[in-house]
mmCIF file of all heavy atoms in Angstrom:
data_model
loop_
_atom_site.group_PDB
_atom_site.id
_atom_site.type_symbol
_atom_site.label_atom_id
_atom_site.label_comp_id
_atom_site.label_asym_id
_atom_site.label_seq_id
_atom_site.Cartn_x
_atom_site.Cartn_y
_atom_site.Cartn_z
ATOM 1 N N LEU A 31 0.975 7.611 -3.166
ATOM 2 C CA LEU A 31 0.540 6.375 -3.803
ATOM 3 C C LEU A 31 -0.799 6.515 -4.406
ATOM 4 O O LEU A 31 -1.721 7.108 -3.744
ATOM 5 C CB LEU A 31 0.555 5.240 -2.849
ATOM 6 C CG LEU A 31 1.841 4.890 -2.179
ATOM 7 C CD1 LEU A 31 1.583 3.780 -1.060
ATOM 8 C CD2 LEU A 31 2.880 4.495 -3.091
ATOM 9 N N MET A 32 -1.036 6.071 -5.587
ATOM 10 C CA MET A 32 -2.420 6.160 -6.220
ATOM 11 C C MET A 32 -3.016 4.734 -5.994
ATOM 12 O O MET A 32 -2.343 3.771 -6.057
ATOM 13 C CB MET A 32 -2.275 6.427 -7.626
ATOM 14 C CG MET A 32 -1.810 7.835 -8.045
ATOM 15 S SD MET A 32 -1.866 8.353 -9.774
ATOM 16 C CE MET A 32 -1.457 6.933 -10.718
ATOM 17 N N VAL A 33 -4.372 4.821 -5.659
ATOM 18 C CA VAL A 33 -5.053 3.523 -5.560
ATOM 19 C C VAL A 33 -5.870 3.308 -6.817
ATOM 20 O O VAL A 33 -6.831 4.168 -7.145
ATOM 21 C CB VAL A 33 -5.977 3.684 -4.343
ATOM 22 C CG1 VAL A 33 -6.757 2.394 -4.223
ATOM 23 C CG2 VAL A 33 -5.061 3.996 -3.083
ATOM 24 N N LYS A 34 -5.693 2.271 -7.514
ATOM 25 C CA LYS A 34 -6.543 2.012 -8.682
ATOM 26 C C LYS A 34 -6.752 0.427 -8.744
ATOM 27 O O LYS A 34 -5.822 -0.279 -8.754
ATOM 28 C CB LYS A 34 -5.743 2.371 -9.914
ATOM 29 C CG LYS A 34 -6.663 2.270 -11.213
ATOM 30 C CD LYS A 34 -5.959 3.012 -12.350
ATOM 31 C CE LYS A 34 -6.920 2.961 -13.614
ATOM 32 N NZ LYS A 34 -6.329 3.474 -14.754
ATOM 33 N N ASP A 35 -8.059 0.151 -8.685
ATOM 34 C CA ASP A 35 -8.493 -1.187 -8.787
ATOM 35 C C ASP A 35 -7.989 -2.025 -7.677
ATOM 36 O O ASP A 35 -7.522 -3.146 -7.872
ATOM 37 C CB ASP A 35 -8.146 -1.893 -10.150
ATOM 38 C CG ASP A 35 -8.840 -1.276 -11.300
ATOM 39 O OD1 ASP A 35 -9.993 -0.665 -11.173
ATOM 40 O OD2 ASP A 35 -8.282 -1.173 -12.340
ATOM 41 N N GLY A 36 -7.750 -1.343 -6.517
ATOM 42 C CA GLY A 36 -7.299 -2.156 -5.319
ATOM 43 C C GLY A 36 -5.758 -2.312 -5.263
ATOM 44 O O GLY A 36 -5.238 -2.940 -4.300
ATOM 45 N N GLU A 37 -5.137 -1.731 -6.181
ATOM 46 C CA GLU A 37 -3.594 -1.828 -6.275
ATOM 47 C C GLU A 37 -2.956 -0.452 -5.996
ATOM 48 O O GLU A 37 -3.520 0.597 -6.397
ATOM 49 C CB GLU A 37 -3.183 -2.367 -7.587
ATOM 50 C CG GLU A 37 -3.611 -3.832 -7.766
ATOM 51 C CD GLU A 37 -3.012 -4.818 -6.748
ATOM 52 O OE1 GLU A 37 -1.940 -4.719 -6.228
ATOM 53 O OE2 GLU A 37 -3.855 -5.701 -6.308
ATOM 54 N N LEU A 38 -1.786 -0.436 -5.361
ATOM 55 C CA LEU A 38 -1.038 0.800 -5.101
ATOM 56 C C LEU A 38 -0.022 1.040 -6.260
ATOM 57 O O LEU A 38 0.713 0.000 -6.522
ATOM 58 C CB LEU A 38 -0.367 0.811 -3.783
ATOM 59 C CG LEU A 38 -1.450 0.694 -2.578
ATOM 60 C CD1 LEU A 38 -0.615 0.648 -1.208
ATOM 61 C CD2 LEU A 38 -2.419 1.856 -2.515
ATOM 62 N N SER A 39 0.164 2.252 -6.641
ATOM 63 C CA SER A 39 1.218 2.555 -7.645
ATOM 64 C C SER A 39 1.774 3.931 -7.169
ATOM 65 O O SER A 39 1.101 4.733 -6.559
ATOM 66 C CB SER A 39 0.853 2.646 -9.050
ATOM 67 O OG SER A 39 -0.209 3.529 -9.252
ATOM 68 N N ILE A 40 2.971 4.207 -7.502
ATOM 69 C CA ILE A 40 3.680 5.423 -7.073
ATOM 70 C C ILE A 40 3.318 6.556 -7.949
ATOM 71 O O ILE A 40 3.243 6.436 -9.156
ATOM 72 C CB ILE A 40 5.240 5.250 -7.065
ATOM 73 C CG1 ILE A 40 5.610 4.248 -5.988
ATOM 74 C CG2 ILE A 40 5.922 6.540 -6.771
ATOM 75 C CD1 ILE A 40 7.075 3.827 -6.154
ATOM 76 N N SER A 41 3.053 7.679 -7.449
ATOM 77 C CA SER A 41 2.735 8.933 -8.196
ATOM 78 C C SER A 41 3.835 9.969 -7.890
ATOM 79 O O SER A 41 3.992 10.365 -6.685
ATOM 80 C CB SER A 41 1.340 9.505 -7.735
ATOM 81 O OG SER A 41 1.187 10.670 -8.301
ATOM 82 N N ASP A 42 4.456 10.419 -8.891
ATOM 83 C CA ASP A 42 5.576 11.378 -8.755
ATOM 84 C C ASP A 42 4.954 12.778 -8.740
ATOM 85 O O ASP A 42 5.668 13.678 -8.253
ATOM 86 C CB ASP A 42 6.630 11.252 -9.859
ATOM 87 C CG ASP A 42 7.324 9.849 -9.702
ATOM 88 O OD1 ASP A 42 7.565 9.421 -8.571
ATOM 89 O OD2 ASP A 42 7.826 9.385 -10.812
ATOM 90 N N THR A 43 3.765 12.989 -9.330
ATOM 91 C CA THR A 43 3.319 14.430 -9.516
ATOM 92 C C THR A 43 1.978 14.509 -8.689
ATOM 93 O O THR A 43 1.277 13.514 -8.705
ATOM 94 C CB THR A 43 3.172 14.769 -10.930
ATOM 95 O OG1 THR A 43 2.279 13.914 -11.476
ATOM 96 C CG2 THR A 43 4.445 14.788 -11.703
ATOM 97 N N PRO A 44 1.678 15.644 -8.143
ATOM 98 C CA PRO A 44 0.347 15.839 -7.523
ATOM 99 C C PRO A 44 -0.707 15.678 -8.613
ATOM 100 O O PRO A 44 -0.565 16.003 -9.770
ATOM 101 C CB PRO A 44 0.443 17.254 -7.049
ATOM 102 C CG PRO A 44 1.830 17.680 -7.064
ATOM 103 C CD PRO A 44 2.526 16.830 -8.119
ATOM 104 N N LEU A 45 -1.744 14.934 -8.182
ATOM 105 C CA LEU A 45 -2.909 14.768 -9.093
ATOM 106 C C LEU A 45 -3.735 15.976 -9.176
ATOM 107 O O LEU A 45 -3.836 16.847 -8.249
ATOM 108 C CB LEU A 45 -3.742 13.578 -8.582
ATOM 109 C CG LEU A 45 -2.993 12.251 -8.378
ATOM 110 C CD1 LEU A 45 -4.072 11.247 -7.752
ATOM 111 C CD2 LEU A 45 -2.628 11.743 -9.797
ATOM 112 N N PRO A 46 -4.309 16.216 -10.446
ATOM 113 C CA PRO A 46 -5.092 17.495 -10.597
ATOM 114 C C PRO A 46 -6.136 17.654 -9.546
ATOM 115 O O PRO A 46 -6.391 18.699 -9.075
ATOM 116 C CB PRO A 46 -5.636 17.299 -12.040
ATOM 117 C CG PRO A 46 -4.815 16.324 -12.704
ATOM 118 C CD PRO A 46 -4.105 15.461 -11.539
ATOM 119 N N GLU A 47 -6.749 16.543 -9.124
ATOM 120 C CA GLU A 47 -7.811 16.639 -8.123
ATOM 121 C C GLU A 47 -7.362 17.118 -6.813
ATOM 122 O O GLU A 47 -7.968 17.810 -6.073
ATOM 123 C CB GLU A 47 -8.543 15.433 -7.963
ATOM 124 C CG GLU A 47 -7.793 14.179 -7.478
ATOM 125 C CD GLU A 47 -8.568 12.943 -7.700
ATOM 126 O OE1 GLU A 47 -9.016 12.498 -8.763
ATOM 127 O OE2 GLU A 47 -8.568 12.170 -6.618
ATOM 128 N N MET A 48 -6.108 16.905 -6.477
ATOM 129 C CA MET A 48 -5.547 17.477 -5.204
ATOM 130 C C MET A 48 -5.359 18.985 -5.383
ATOM 131 O O MET A 48 -5.618 19.661 -4.469
ATOM 132 C CB MET A 48 -4.093 16.861 -5.006
ATOM 133 C CG MET A 48 -4.146 15.354 -4.545
ATOM 134 S SD MET A 48 -2.563 14.619 -4.426
ATOM 135 C CE MET A 48 -1.750 15.525 -3.092
ATOM 136 N N ASP A 49 -4.976 19.399 -6.610
ATOM 137 C CA ASP A 49 -4.840 20.871 -6.772
ATOM 138 C C ASP A 49 -6.312 21.521 -6.700
ATOM 139 O O ASP A 49 -6.414 22.578 -6.109
ATOM 140 C CB ASP A 49 -4.266 21.260 -8.099
ATOM 141 C CG ASP A 49 -2.701 20.846 -8.123
ATOM 142 O OD1 ASP A 49 -2.151 20.736 -7.171
ATOM 143 O OD2 ASP A 49 -2.165 20.591 -9.275
ATOM 144 N N GLU A 50 -7.233 20.777 -7.292
ATOM 145 C CA GLU A 50 -8.522 21.331 -7.294
ATOM 146 C C GLU A 50 -9.106 21.411 -5.768
ATOM 147 O O GLU A 50 -9.815 22.465 -5.495
ATOM 148 C CB GLU A 50 -9.500 20.462 -8.098
ATOM 149 C CG GLU A 50 -9.254 20.531 -9.432
ATOM 150 C CD GLU A 50 -10.000 19.452 -10.389
ATOM 151 O OE1 GLU A 50 -10.816 18.747 -9.800
ATOM 152 O OE2 GLU A 50 -9.681 19.262 -11.494
ATOM 153 N N GLN A 51 -8.842 20.465 -5.037
ATOM 154 C CA GLN A 51 -9.257 20.396 -3.629
ATOM 155 C C GLN A 51 -8.550 21.705 -2.841
ATOM 156 O O GLN A 51 -9.265 22.414 -2.133
ATOM 157 C CB GLN A 51 -8.736 19.159 -2.919
ATOM 158 C CG GLN A 51 -9.438 17.925 -3.158
ATOM 159 C CD GLN A 51 -8.887 16.651 -2.347
ATOM 160 O OE1 GLN A 51 -7.751 16.729 -1.735
ATOM 161 N NE2 GLN A 51 -9.528 15.634 -2.363
ATOM 162 N N ILE A 52 -7.337 21.941 -3.125
ATOM 163 C CA ILE A 52 -6.623 23.039 -2.492
ATOM 164 C C ILE A 52 -7.259 24.363 -2.855
ATOM 165 O O ILE A 52 -7.506 25.247 -1.989
ATOM 166 C CB ILE A 52 -5.072 22.948 -2.713
ATOM 167 C CG1 ILE A 52 -4.434 21.805 -2.096
ATOM 168 C CG2 ILE A 52 -4.442 24.313 -2.337
ATOM 169 C CD1 ILE A 52 -4.358 21.769 -0.603
ATOM 170 N N GLU A 53 -7.411 24.562 -4.171
ATOM 171 C CA GLU A 53 -8.017 25.808 -4.694
ATOM 172 C C GLU A 53 -9.425 26.091 -4.196
ATOM 173 O O GLU A 53 -9.744 27.024 -3.781
ATOM 174 C CB GLU A 53 -8.041 25.795 -6.212
ATOM 175 C CG GLU A 53 -6.719 25.961 -6.831
ATOM 176 C CD GLU A 53 -5.787 27.112 -6.228
ATOM 177 O OE1 GLU A 53 -6.295 28.181 -6.086
ATOM 178 O OE2 GLU A 53 -4.638 26.855 -5.957
ATOM 179 N N ALA A 54 -10.235 24.962 -4.133
ATOM 180 C CA ALA A 54 -11.629 25.152 -3.545
ATOM 181 C C ALA A 54 -11.516 25.500 -2.003
ATOM 182 O O ALA A 54 -12.203 26.423 -1.596
ATOM 183 C CB ALA A 54 -12.372 23.859 -3.757
ATOM 184 N N ALA A 55 -10.586 24.917 -1.259
ATOM 185 C CA ALA A 55 -10.540 25.169 0.133
ATOM 186 C C ALA A 55 -10.046 26.565 0.319
ATOM 187 O O ALA A 55 -10.490 27.298 1.364
ATOM 188 C CB ALA A 55 -9.581 24.181 0.780
ATOM 189 N N LYS A 56 -9.091 27.071 -0.500
ATOM 190 C CA LYS A 56 -8.666 28.482 -0.358
ATOM 191 C C LYS A 56 -9.812 29.502 -0.553
ATOM 192 O O LYS A 56 -9.842 30.451 0.152
ATOM 193 C CB LYS A 56 -7.539 28.740 -1.314
ATOM 194 C CG LYS A 56 -6.178 28.196 -0.927
ATOM 195 C CD LYS A 56 -5.161 28.532 -1.950
ATOM 196 C CE LYS A 56 -3.788 28.089 -1.625
ATOM 197 N NZ LYS A 56 -2.766 28.497 -2.688
ATOM 198 N N GLU A 57 -10.685 29.134 -1.471
ATOM 199 C CA GLU A 57 -11.706 29.988 -1.895
ATOM 200 C C GLU A 57 -12.861 29.983 -0.750
ATOM 201 O O GLU A 57 -13.421 31.085 -0.383
ATOM 202 C CB GLU A 57 -12.419 29.709 -3.162
ATOM 203 C CG GLU A 57 -11.527 29.945 -4.344
ATOM 204 C CD GLU A 57 -12.178 29.461 -5.725
ATOM 205 O OE1 GLU A 57 -13.389 29.166 -5.608
ATOM 206 O OE2 GLU A 57 -11.457 29.483 -6.637
ATOM 207 N N THR A 58 -13.155 28.802 -0.287
ATOM 208 C CA THR A 58 -14.249 28.713 0.731
ATOM 209 C C THR A 58 -13.833 28.810 2.152
ATOM 210 O O THR A 58 -14.628 29.128 3.030
ATOM 211 C CB THR A 58 -14.892 27.272 0.612
ATOM 212 O OG1 THR A 58 -14.052 26.304 0.840
ATOM 213 C CG2 THR A 58 -15.509 27.246 -0.907
#
Side-chain angles (χ1 to χ4, degrees):
L31 305 173
M32 294 189 322
V33 181
K34 187 171 183 183
D35 298 326
E37 295 301 317
L38 301 180
S39 61
I40 296 173
S41 171
D42 293 331
T43 59
L45 298 175
E47 60 192 52
M48 289 173 64
D49 292 336
E50 291 170 10
Q51 287 179 348
I52 294 292
E53 290 308 314
K56 283 182 180 178
E57 289 175 16
T58 64

